[in-house]
């Protein structure tokens, strides 16, 4: 394979790596958003426990049971969504690793070929 074809192949592998990298970004952003929601839920739970400690009506009316049920369902839903997004992230990371490996392999072959061509040119010049 000549250097021109390898350079074209290198550009293609670079483009594929960039495409895979861009595909990973929304998944990472979705994961961060869900984690923020879980942190916010934790803060709400902490605040509610502090506020409800002094409010007897909260327990008498059964509001605490409703709140705990909502919190549990919300946490379960967020954790399921987080697991789904992390599974997508793992798949996208595997594709990115593969694209990166190809990119590095082609770059290495191109460098080796360029070095060999340069040595051949230098040898030809020194023989003249």
């Amino acid at each position: 394979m000549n250097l021109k074809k390898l350079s074209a192949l290198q550009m293609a592998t670079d483009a594929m790596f960039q495409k895979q990298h861009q595909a990973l970004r929304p998944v990472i952003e979705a994961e961060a958003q869900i984690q923020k929601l879980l942190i916010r839920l934790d803060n709400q739970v902490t605040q509610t426990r502090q506020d409800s400690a002094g409010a007897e009506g909260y327990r008498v009316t059964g509001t605490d049971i409703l709140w705990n049920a909502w919190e549990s369902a919300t946490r379960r839903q967020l954790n399921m969504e987080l697991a789904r997004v992390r599974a997508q992230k793992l798949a996208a990371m595997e594709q990115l690793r593969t694209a990166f490996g190809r990119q590095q392999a082609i770059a290495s072959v191109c460098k080796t070929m360029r070095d060999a061509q340069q040595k051949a040119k230098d040898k030809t010049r020194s023989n003249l």
Side-chain angles (χ1 to χ4, degrees):
M1 187 175 271
N2 64 20
L3 191 58
K4 187 182 258 187
K5 287 182 181 178
L6 271 177
S7 294
L9 187 57
Q10 185 175 16
M11 287 175 35
T13 57
D14 289 345
M16 182 57 76
F17 175 76
Q18 290 302 321
K19 179 182 175 190
Q20 296 299 332
H21 189 265
Q22 292 302 320
L24 183 61
R25 180 175 289 151
V27 176
I28 290 173
E29 289 172 357
E31 180 185 28
Q33 182 64 29
I34 293 169
Q35 287 175 329
K36 284 180 189 177
L37 291 172
L38 281 167
I39 290 169
R40 191 170 117 198
L41 183 62
D42 287 340
N43 292 338
Q44 288 175 337
V45 167
T46 302
Q47 185 64 40
T48 301
R49 286 185 181 148
Q50 289 172 356
D51 293 347
S52 68
E56 284 300 315
Y58 179 73
R59 287 192 191 105
V60 171
T61 61
T63 307
D64 60 335
I65 295 170
L66 292 174
W67 163 257
N68 288 334
W70 175 85
E71 181 265 331
S72 177
T74 302
R75 184 175 304 281
R76 184 175 28 258
Q77 182 64 34
L78 287 172
N79 282 324
M80 286 180 4
E81 184 69 18
L82 184 60
R84 185 187 64 76
V85 168
R86 285 187 173 163
Q88 288 177 344
K89 180 181 169 185
L90 286 175
M93 290 290 287
E94 184 59 36
Q95 291 174 346
L96 183 65
R97 272 191 287 276
T98 301
F100 179 74
R102 287 179 181 154
Q103 179 191 38
Q104 293 299 304
I106 294 299
S108 176
V109 169
C110 282
K111 183 180 181 329
T112 302
M113 188 170 252
R114 282 188 192 110
D115 291 347
Q117 284 182 348
Q118 187 63 38
K119 279 185 180 180
K121 284 180 184 178
D122 292 345
K123 187 175 184 181
T124 303
R125 287 183 190 152
S126 67
N127 289 336
L128 293 178

